[in-house]
Amino acid sequence: MTGVLESPAHAMPPAAFPSDGRRLVVYVVFDRRGEVDDYIPVALAGLRDGATRVLVVINGPLSNAGRAALEPFSDEILVRENVGFDIWAHKEALDHIGEGISEFDEVVLTNDTWFGPVRPFGPVLARMGDRAVHFWGLTDHAREEPNPFTGDGVLHYHLQSFWIAVRREMFLSDAWTAYWRDLPSMPSYFDAVLKHEAMFTNHFTELGYSVDVAFPSAEYPTDHPALFNPDLLLEDGCPVVKRRPFFHYPPFLDRHAVIGRQILRRISGSGFPMAVIWQNLARNVAPRILNADAGMLEVLPDVDVGYDSARPFRILVIAHITRIDALPGIFDRMSHLPAPYDVVLTAVAPIAELLRDAVVQARPSGAAVIEVREGGSDGGSDMSAFLTACHNVFEPPRYDLVVKVHTRLPGDRTGNERRYFERWELDNVLGSPGYARNALALFQRESGLGMVFPPTIHIGYGNMGGAWEGLRDSAVWANERMGVKVPMDGASPLAPFGGMFIARPDALRLMLAQDWAAIAAKRSMPPGDLARLQERLFVGAAGERGYHVRTIIGAEHAGISHNSLEYKIDQMASTTPGYPVEQIQFLHSMGNVGRGRAIDYLWMYLRRNRPRAVRLLHPVGRIIAGVRRRFRALRGRHATEGSRR
């Protein structure tokens, strides 16, 4: 090959895929852990039948277990440095194949950004194989002006780069050689989009190469059906569903009415193994984003509609008791569980002795074994008892599920707030016999479900928008210590706030294995802060092990919560025009309101309208803030010394 581009007149005529044609599939994988999630072998198995050769390219490290998972479905595995995204991985694969590419009639460049096959590949490959084209894709994106990525210019019509199939008349051309030889570097995701995905189709069609698409956007109600209409693509036989609808920015998907729960129901109806989807999403998507995108709140009725008594669970209830007078109420809640179940009651020393006497007089119906353990600490008693005093009850594995409840009430709340907190937590975990069975039925239906717990309480609480409560840095540190690589939530984590949940013990392994006393000492954390940190770590630790979580709520509380949220959002949105995604972006661009002082409003104005000035002034602001902190500390020290004299 000379490397000289042909004019359109010199492009070889397109040809259909021969009946005995040979197809090369290049499939790119990236995993931050160097592992291979279960959906990838499923995808490769689906591709295997239509391919003569499958070359898997790994961006980054690959573990021995990962290699073992790939080998049955691939002819060769190429491991490379994670540079240039999947585009440069495709380039390196083509360089690796070299002149051997001439052995094939079609090359498919694809990657791990989709789940499938949710429909068979065969019919689509046969349909597109009959068409005389130079290259084709599964889905496309309509032309947009201005370009949404840059705000000006044109986003050309293009095939989406997660699947581009190229025939030999094109990949044996000088134009093809030159394109990959001159491929620019791509340090960012936007580079990958703007320098390749949005350019590839236009580049080759301008050179005279013909393009086709299996599921054209012109036949769908949006310009980007792979993101906005995956359910319709599925109906039409598209063999893949993009992963993006389950991790994209939730307010953006809300703006376009992309309903992840509906998409997942369609996928499940196709017979696809849903467990591999949940495993991948739990390990790789920030939990609150996944919870929103996939619609993972379950409104459970009080009438049993799903529990299979023929497949009972071995259940352990761990209840931390802070008030002896609350014992009958917590026993009544336990009795909503299908019998038999074991119970461990925990309490600090004085109450533990009273508990031993109390359980002789009364016990929950259905309880097989009741044990009282001394454990817990002031400020974080139920979490300390659960993770420290009870960690050994799970070894060896004797239980399928653990139910964690307590009688602790928040100490810094009014009587109304404390009463509603107790109702919210207990009603939405063990609300009634039917409700409890429906909660357990979720675990029967989904082997990868790790935890269920009530949604974030917001009535009587002001934690929306800041539920990390200053603990995010400690959470980052703790996750690194535990080896948790699940992306962390932004404003507020998805967590069992209040400390009550139902879980599989295996989903709790990372939390149960930690030396929390050492962690508290290392971070200089009082028991109360440690307990709040622990609540915020459960979901990520479960996700690292491949378990997803769901939030559960009863019908009464769902009505109360939704109406309250609807009114609050309506009020907060009343001064900002546009759709919620636009309102949120507008407010985020201004940053924190602070205390509403003139200087705070000035900074908001600058962040919104003069971002360059903010970048220049930011170092000065840090210096001034540091001086002010030192001055306040010095003044405080002098005041303390004066009071001692």
Side-chain angles (χ1 to χ4, degrees):
M1 297 183 189
T2 63
V4 178
L5 293 179
E6 301 102 330
S7 66
H10 290 97
M12 291 184 65
F17 186 72
S19 59
D20 60 347
R22 294 170 58 83
R23 180 178 288 115
L24 166 67
V25 172
V26 179
Y27 182 94
V28 179
V29 176
F30 167 73
D31 187 288
R32 59 173 54 86
R33 302 170 182 84
E35 299 172 6
V36 174
D37 282 347
D38 292 344
Y39 82 98
I40 289 175
V42 173
L44 290 171
L47 290 169
R48 179 77 270 182
D49 288 344
T52 307
R53 181 181 177 189
V54 175
L55 170 59
V56 177
V57 186
I58 306 297
N59 275 348
L62 178 64
S63 67
N64 291 335
R67 182 176 291 275
L70 292 172
E71 284 177 341
F73 308 101
S74 59
D75 297 292
E76 187 177 6
I77 300 170
L78 179 64
V79 180
R80 65 182 293 272
E81 186 181 0
N82 182 28
V83 175
F85 297 89
D86 55 318
I87 296 98
W88 272 77
H90 285 144
K91 170 181 166 55
E92 192 161 325
L94 293 169
D95 290 342
H96 175 75
I97 295 165
E99 296 296 326
I101 200 171
S102 62
E103 300 174 10
F104 302 97
D105 299 285
E106 186 171 87
V107 174
V108 175
L109 304 178
T110 185
N111 57 37
D112 63 356
T113 63
W114 48 266
F115 296 122
V118 292
R119 292 285 191 267
F121 279 108
V124 177
L125 294 176
R127 173 162 60 90
M128 298 309 293
D130 289 339
R131 298 183 185 181
V133 294
H134 288 110
F135 65 115
W136 63 275
L138 280 178
T139 60
D140 58 6
H141 192 297
R143 180 183 185 275
E144 283 193 63
E145 187 174 2
N147 187 325
F149 292 95
T150 62
D152 58 15
V154 175
L155 179 70
H156 295 291
Y157 165 86
H158 59 275
L159 300 180
Q160 294 194 284
S161 63
F162 73 89
W163 179 287
I164 295 180
V166 185
R167 302 268 165 81
R168 63 186 292 111
E169 293 78 17
M170 181 166 151
F171 66 66
L172 293 180
S173 70
D174 291 343
W176 176 263
T177 302
Y179 180 87
W180 292 101
R181 181 195 63 210
D182 300 333
L183 193 71
S185 62
M186 297 176 187
S188 74
Y189 170 78
F190 290 105
D191 289 317
V193 172
L194 295 174
K195 295 179 181 179
H196 173 71
E197 181 170 39
M199 301 297 295
F200 181 91
T201 303
N202 188 67
H203 174 83
F204 282 102
T205 54
E206 285 194 342
L207 291 174
Y209 294 94
S210 59
V211 63
D212 205 347
V213 62
F215 302 93
S217 58
E219 297 179 3
Y220 294 89
T222 66
D223 57 8
H224 191 350
L227 178 60
F228 298 136
N229 310 116
D231 55 331
L232 300 181
L233 289 171
L234 205 61
E235 286 181 9
D236 291 340
C238 184
V240 308
V241 172
K242 289 284 285 179
R243 294 171 61 246
R244 182 165 288 278
F246 310 111
F247 66 78
H248 205 64
Y249 187 46
F252 178 83
L253 296 179
D254 172 271
R255 166 68 180 86
H256 295 279
V258 178
I259 311 300
R261 189 179 179 114
Q262 176 178 304
I263 298 165
L264 289 163
R265 186 183 299 119
R266 296 286 179 86
I267 296 173
S268 178
S270 74
F272 189 80
M274 298 300 292
V276 304
I277 291 181
W278 291 121
Q279 180 214 41
N280 172 255
L281 295 178
R283 284 164 57 86
N284 294 287
V285 182
R288 190 170 285 278
I289 290 177
L290 176 58
N291 188 258
D293 284 349
M296 298 175 74
L297 170 64
E298 301 293 331
V299 181
L300 303 178
D302 286 324
V303 178
D304 178 7
V305 294
Y307 183 65
D308 184 356
S309 299
R311 297 187 295 138
F313 288 115
R314 298 170 298 168
I315 299 173
L316 172 67
V317 181
I318 297 181
H320 188 70
I321 308 302
T322 57
R323 298 170 289 135
I324 292 293
D325 63 336
L327 197 59
I330 208 74
F331 278 178
D332 181 60
R333 297 288 185 163
M334 293 179 196
S335 68
H336 294 164
L337 292 164
Y341 52 87
D342 292 345
V343 179
V344 173
L345 301 176
T346 61
V348 295
I351 297 176
E353 290 303 318
L354 297 174
L355 274 180
R356 291 187 177 94
D357 295 332
V359 296
V360 173
Q361 305 297 324
R363 60 189 294 124
S365 61
V369 176
I370 298 182
E371 177 187 349
V372 177
R373 291 192 176 199
E374 190 175 308
S377 59
D378 292 340
S381 54
D382 61 294
M383 279 297 169
S384 172
F386 182 79
L387 292 172
T388 303
C390 294
H391 71 93
N392 64 339
V393 301
F394 301 108
E395 298 296 343
R398 288 180 287 172
Y399 300 102
D400 302 306
L401 294 176
V402 58
V403 180
K404 180 185 177 299
V405 291
H406 59 74
T407 64
R408 172 181 57 81
L409 293 176
D412 56 347
R413 300 286 166 177
T414 66
N416 269 358
E417 292 163 355
R418 287 156 65 95
R419 286 188 298 125
Y420 191 68
F421 167 86
E422 186 173 36
R423 279 196 61 207
W424 175 269
E425 290 294 312
L426 289 171
D427 286 357
N428 291 324
V429 175
L430 297 174
S432 68
Y435 183 94
R437 285 164 171 77
N438 289 326
L440 300 182
L442 296 174
F443 290 93
Q444 288 181 329
R445 290 201 296 269
E446 299 182 75
S447 61
L449 179 61
M451 295 181 73
V452 298
F453 49 84
T456 303
I457 187 170
H458 57 89
I459 295 173
Y461 283 75
N463 52 11
M464 288 293 190
W468 280 112
E469 294 184 355
L471 295 168
R472 199 175 192 280
D473 288 345
S474 292
V476 171
W477 180 86
N479 278 339
E480 289 177 353
R481 180 187 176 102
M482 290 192 292
V484 173
K485 298 183 184 299
V486 177
M488 292 180 64
D489 288 309
S492 296
L494 182 70
F497 297 110
M500 301 194 200
F501 54 76
I502 306 173
R504 295 186 197 273
D506 194 50
L508 308 176
R509 292 293 172 197
L510 289 177
M511 294 291 290
L512 292 167
Q514 303 308 306
D515 182 346
W516 291 106
I519 289 174
K522 187 76 172 178
R523 300 296 294 182
S524 301
M525 301 184 77
D529 281 355
L530 178 62
R532 285 189 286 273
L533 174 65
Q534 289 164 335
E535 281 183 348
R536 288 153 176 77
L537 296 175
F538 275 108
V539 175
E544 185 63 30
R545 293 185 60 78
Y547 287 102
H548 62 283
V549 307
R550 291 186 180 275
T551 48
I552 55 174
I553 192 171
E556 178 188 6
H557 290 286
I560 295 169
S561 175
H562 177 84
N563 288 332
S564 174
L565 272 178
E566 183 178 312
Y567 191 86
K568 287 185 283 194
I569 292 171
D570 183 61
Q571 290 293 298
M572 287 189 285
S574 63
T575 61
T576 311
Y579 285 88
V581 64
E582 297 159 348
Q583 295 170 326
I584 293 166
Q585 290 169 344
F586 178 81
L587 294 171
H588 281 183
S589 71
M590 294 191 295
N592 199 297
V593 177
R595 286 179 283 172
R597 302 166 302 175
I599 187 66
D600 297 320
Y601 288 125
L602 174 62
W603 276 108
M604 289 169 65
Y605 171 82
L606 292 174
R607 283 192 292 263
R608 172 68 184 170
N609 299 290
R610 298 288 187 273
R612 186 177 178 184
V614 171
R615 287 194 295 271
L616 294 173
L617 291 171
H618 193 63
V620 177
R622 282 204 306 267
I623 294 171
I624 294 173
V627 171
R628 291 176 64 186
R629 283 194 299 270
R630 288 173 64 87
F631 175 74
R632 285 196 297 268
L634 185 63
R635 185 173 58 185
R637 189 178 70 187
H638 286 329
T640 302
E641 290 173 351
S643 68
R644 289 173 179 170
R645 281 197 285 269

